[in-house]
């Protein structure tokens, strides 16, 4: 191994290097997605005003991490701005003289760095479980994952929360050898995940159980004493996690000034009771109630060419099947089977597979069919599982694994730099994702800057009618366009530019305009340009 170590390190650096290049390129080229201005503006309110009043439905830690970057932007924010969080985001980016390109890049860079660090966790976790080759296989799948690259390059919360949760389970696994060190660290990582997104809450009992199990296996005391120590370790990890959440809120506002928003008294009493029992700040509890209020609504969705109302249970598995490279799906499946079949891996499977299944089931039960970003934990945990195929001794296993990893890498590289709208070859590739999915799967408002460049280069001076879904301000990007809904249909002539999410859920008028137009191009595989 010592002779091979330089080659091993070189392979690791090459994979993380290409991932860093892909994420930074994406971050530089993309305009703000729908959620980002809210998070970035809230981060600036945390930093400048020490107030929790905005975006309470998500805990502060992810936004505090973004604030580390935005602190270098010198952004100005009106402390008396009267708008809601959506208007605040637009105000910060487009109405205060700040440079939105620079501000967004600085907010995205800390998330990019975190995403790369989580790659090292994937590497070491898989190496701990199944050896050095397993680590390389796992890192390859992670570093070429279009979903991880897409969302790891944005100032959003999905990748940070999933990566911190992965770190917690890895540390719980390591606690099998040194529980005194790793159980507290696992609790801290769990607390960081909880302080970033509430969606990780279902994994808490499982993590604490595994922390206790790791401690139990490490002890050789009498059974009753072992049990007491294991229970104490699990409770200690939970206390540390709760403390991290409280510390995060206190970092924003040491006095925890908070006013409960109106309308939360309409949440079902059982949900209210469950929330009230959580040992978290009132702002955290109210944020959970806001999330429950979102879940009580019915949303419009789009899957495999069909628009619908509601939330079919199979949406998330179908979206994952569309947006995950085929080689990755094959290796995930093979890795899961390997962990269950090989006796020495079954203990490790407890730290990888149940949490993946649990969070996927919770995601499938949700009402918001907005994208595979709600399952971005899968390319992390299942990469670790996939790495275990390195232990398969069947003939041609390693060659097959190498071919599948190469297939994943090629599929990922071919979509550069359009990772957000990626879909695999079985569904026609990135250019056809809009025919199967919508929203953050393909069109999250990220291509407004590219649209401005395309119109100036290819269609200067032509009349433009714009139906855009996103948080950007078209005029800032040099786009002079009119709203076709404000005039009679026969006046809508020239270029009709429509976001793919609007196409997917088009009403009668938009369907008529599109049907009587000719598609002449697309921007970033997320915006259609028609001539009418």
């Amino acid at each position: 191994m010592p002779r091979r170590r330089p080659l091993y390190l070189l392979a690791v650096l090459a994979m993380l290097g290409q991932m860093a290049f892909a994420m930074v390129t994406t971050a530089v080229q993309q305009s703000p997605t729908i959620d980002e201005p809210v998070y970035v503006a809230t981060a600036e309110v945390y930093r400048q005003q020490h107030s929790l009043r905005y975006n309470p439905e998500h805990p502060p830690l992810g936004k505090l991490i973004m604030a580390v970057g935005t602190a270098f932007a010198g952004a100005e924010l009106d402390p008396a701005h009267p708008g809601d969080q959506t208007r605040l985001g637009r105000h910060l980016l487009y109405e205060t003289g700040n440079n939105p390109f620079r501000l967004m890049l600085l907010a995205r860079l800390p998330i990019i760095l975190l995403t790369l660090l989580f790659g090292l966790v994937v590497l070491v976790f898989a190496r701990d479980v199944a050896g050095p080759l397993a680590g390389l296989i796992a890192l390859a799948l992670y570093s070429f994952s279009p979903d991880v690259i897409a969302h790891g390059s944005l100032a959003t919360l999905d990748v940070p929360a999933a990566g911190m949760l992965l770190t917690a389970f890895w540390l719980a696994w390591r606690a099998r050898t040194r529980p005194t060190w790793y159980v507290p660290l696992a609790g801290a990582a769990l607390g960081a995940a909880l302080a970033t997104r509430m969606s990780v809450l279902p994994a808490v009992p499982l993590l604490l159980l595994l922390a206790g199990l790791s401690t139990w296996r490490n002890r050789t005391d009498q059974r009753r004493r072992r049990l007491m120590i294991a229970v104490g370790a699990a409770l200690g990890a939970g206390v540390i996690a709760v403390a991290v959440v409280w510390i995060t809120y206190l970092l924003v506002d040491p006095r925890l000034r908070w006013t409960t928003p109106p309308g939360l008294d309409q949440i079902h009493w059982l949900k209210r009771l469950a929330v009230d029992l959580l040992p978290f700040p009132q702002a955290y509890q109210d944020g959970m109630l806001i999330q429950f209020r979102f879940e009580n609504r019915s949303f419009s969705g789009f899957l495999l060419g069909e628009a619908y109302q509601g939330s079919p249970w199979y949406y998330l598995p179908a979206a994952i099947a569309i947006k995950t490279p085929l080689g990755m799906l094959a290796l995930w499946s093979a890795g899961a089977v390997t962990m269950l079949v090989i006796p020495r891996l079954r203990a490790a499977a407890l730290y990888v597979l149940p949490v993946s299944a649990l969070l996927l089931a919770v995601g499938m039960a949700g009402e918001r069919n907005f994208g595979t970003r709600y399952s971005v934990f899968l390319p992390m945990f299942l990469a670790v599982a996939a790495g275990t195929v390195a232990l398969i001794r069947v003939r041609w296993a390693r060659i097959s694994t190498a071919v599948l990893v190469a297939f994943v890498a090629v599929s990922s590289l071919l979509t550069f730099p359009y990772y957000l709208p990626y879909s695999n070859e079985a569904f026609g590739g990135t250019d056809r994702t809009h025919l199967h999915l919508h929203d953050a799967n393909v069109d999250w408002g990220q291509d407004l800057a590219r649209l401005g460049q395309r119109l100036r280069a290819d269609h200067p001076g032509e009349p433009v009618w714009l139906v855009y879904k996103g948080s950007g301000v078209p005029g800032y990007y040099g786009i002079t366009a009119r709203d076709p809904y404000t005039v009679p249909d026969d006046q809508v002539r020239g270029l009709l530019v429509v976001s793919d999410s609007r196409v997917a859920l088009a009403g009668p008028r938009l369907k008529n305009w599109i049907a009587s137009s000719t598609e002449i191009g697309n921007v970033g595989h997320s915006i259609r340009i028609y001539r009418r």
Side-chain angles (χ1 to χ4, degrees):
M1 182 63 187
R3 292 182 179 179
R4 296 180 180 179
R5 186 168 296 165
L7 292 177
Y8 194 90
L9 293 176
L10 185 61
V12 171
L13 290 174
M15 287 187 281
L16 290 178
Q18 72 79 29
M19 189 184 198
F21 180 79
M23 289 193 293
V24 172
T25 301
T26 302
V28 169
Q29 293 186 5
Q30 289 186 161
S31 48
T33 58
I34 290 175
D35 287 4
E36 286 182 290
V38 170
Y39 297 146
V40 174
T42 302
E44 283 301 286
V45 171
Y46 289 168
R47 188 178 66 83
Q48 298 182 28
Q49 302 171 22
H50 304 286
S51 171
L52 292 162
R53 67 185 185 275
Y54 287 108
N55 197 231
E57 62 267 31
H58 294 299
L61 183 56
K63 290 162 282 186
L64 286 174
I65 293 170
M66 297 172 201
V68 173
T70 59
F72 295 95
E76 298 292 335
L77 186 62
D78 181 4
H81 188 267
D84 61 16
Q85 59 188 25
T86 301
R87 291 179 59 191
L88 179 73
R90 178 172 293 203
H91 171 74
L92 173 68
L93 292 177
Y94 300 109
E95 298 172 359
T96 56
N98 297 316
N99 183 332
F101 287 99
R102 182 169 184 266
L103 186 57
M104 288 307 308
L105 180 59
L106 288 171
R108 290 166 171 171
L109 285 176
I111 307 301
I112 291 172
L113 179 59
L114 261 185
T115 305
L116 295 171
L117 291 175
F118 295 144
L120 294 177
V121 174
V122 168
L123 168 74
V124 178
F125 197 168
R127 189 187 65 186
D128 288 351
V129 170
L133 181 58
L136 285 184
I137 294 170
L139 179 60
L141 295 186
Y142 175 87
S143 65
F144 285 106
S145 168
D147 263 355
V148 175
I149 293 173
H151 295 285
S153 60
L154 300 176
T156 54
L157 308 176
D158 304 287
V159 168
M164 291 169 184
L165 189 65
L166 172 79
T167 304
F169 277 82
W170 165 59
L171 292 167
W173 166 255
R174 282 211 156 183
R176 291 161 57 91
T177 56
R178 297 185 68 182
T180 305
W181 281 93
Y182 289 114
V183 167
L185 291 174
L190 177 63
L194 290 169
T196 302
R197 272 190 76 100
M198 297 165 186
S199 58
V200 304
L201 273 166
V204 171
L206 183 57
L207 187 282
L208 299 184
L209 179 64
L210 291 173
L213 178 63
S214 292
T215 305
W216 165 275
R217 292 180 63 89
N218 181 261
R219 305 291 300 188
T220 58
D221 312 73
Q222 186 264 345
R223 181 178 293 269
R224 184 175 179 181
R225 178 175 172 78
R226 286 173 69 191
L227 179 61
M228 292 178 61
I229 292 174
V231 171
L235 292 176
V239 169
I240 291 172
V242 170
V244 170
V245 174
W246 276 91
I247 290 170
T248 302
Y249 278 84
L250 290 169
L251 284 174
V252 177
D253 182 3
R255 292 189 289 169
L256 290 180
R257 295 162 295 178
W258 172 252
T259 302
T260 298
L264 298 186
D265 54 347
Q266 300 174 8
I267 306 300
H268 192 276
W269 71 271
L270 280 177
K271 291 181 177 179
R272 288 192 60 90
L273 177 61
V275 170
D276 289 341
L277 292 175
L278 293 174
F280 296 135
Q282 187 65 46
Y284 194 104
Q285 295 179 348
D286 288 346
M288 283 198 66
L289 294 176
I290 293 173
Q291 291 284 5
F292 284 140
R293 188 170 62 186
F294 288 153
E295 291 299 318
N296 288 338
R297 296 167 53 190
S298 179
F299 297 90
S300 298
F302 183 79
L303 178 63
L304 297 174
E306 297 293 331
Y308 59 86
Q309 193 73 20
S311 178
W313 66 267
Y314 52 84
Y315 168 83
L316 197 52
I320 292 167
I322 294 169
K323 288 189 63 64
T324 304
L326 296 173
M328 192 176 295
L329 290 172
L331 287 169
W332 286 357
S333 302
V337 172
T338 301
M339 296 193 85
L340 296 175
V341 169
I342 297 180
R344 60 173 279 200
L345 295 178
R346 288 173 186 163
L350 294 174
Y351 296 76
V352 175
L353 301 183
V355 62
S356 302
L358 174 64
L359 293 181
L360 179 60
V362 172
M364 290 167 61
E367 291 295 323
R368 286 168 281 182
N369 293 171
F370 291 160
T372 53
R373 64 190 182 94
Y374 292 103
S375 61
V376 76
F377 53 86
L378 288 179
M380 302 182 184
F381 282 93
L382 294 187
V384 176
T388 63
V389 300
L391 298 181
I392 298 176
R393 301 307 180 194
V394 178
R395 189 179 182 186
W396 303 112
R398 290 197 173 183
I399 294 176
S400 300
T401 299
V403 169
L404 289 172
V405 169
F407 187 20
V408 171
V410 170
S411 185
S412 177
L413 292 171
L414 288 176
T415 201
F416 173 87
Y418 308 112
Y419 292 96
L420 200 63
Y422 171 86
S423 67
N424 63 46
E425 292 75 15
F427 292 90
T430 303
D431 194 44
R432 297 181 66 82
T433 313
H434 69 286
L435 300 177
H436 308 296
L437 297 164
H438 83 316
D439 208 82
N441 286 313
V442 56
D443 163 37
W444 214 11
Q446 73 272 14
D447 282 320
L448 202 58
R450 290 179 177 135
L451 175 62
Q453 294 170 357
R454 174 71 64 84
L455 294 177
R456 288 191 298 273
D458 297 347
H459 307 283
E462 294 191 48
V464 177
W465 302 88
L466 180 62
V467 183
Y468 168 68
K469 180 181 179 180
S471 58
V473 175
Y476 182 86
Y477 301 97
I479 301 170
T480 302
R482 297 178 63 186
D483 181 357
Y485 288 101
T486 62
V487 299
D489 289 3
D490 60 0
Q491 293 186 25
V492 182
R493 296 178 179 275
L495 296 180
L496 176 65
V497 180
V498 190
S499 294
D500 279 335
S501 290
R502 297 298 189 204
V503 176
L505 302 178
R509 291 189 72 190
L510 182 54
K511 285 183 178 179
N512 176 62
W513 297 333
I514 293 173
S516 56
S517 303
T518 301
E519 183 175 338
I520 60 173
N522 75 81
V523 177
H525 307 289
S526 76
I527 299 176
R528 305 288 121 185
I529 301 178
Y530 305 90
R531 187 174 297 283
R532 188 167 193 271

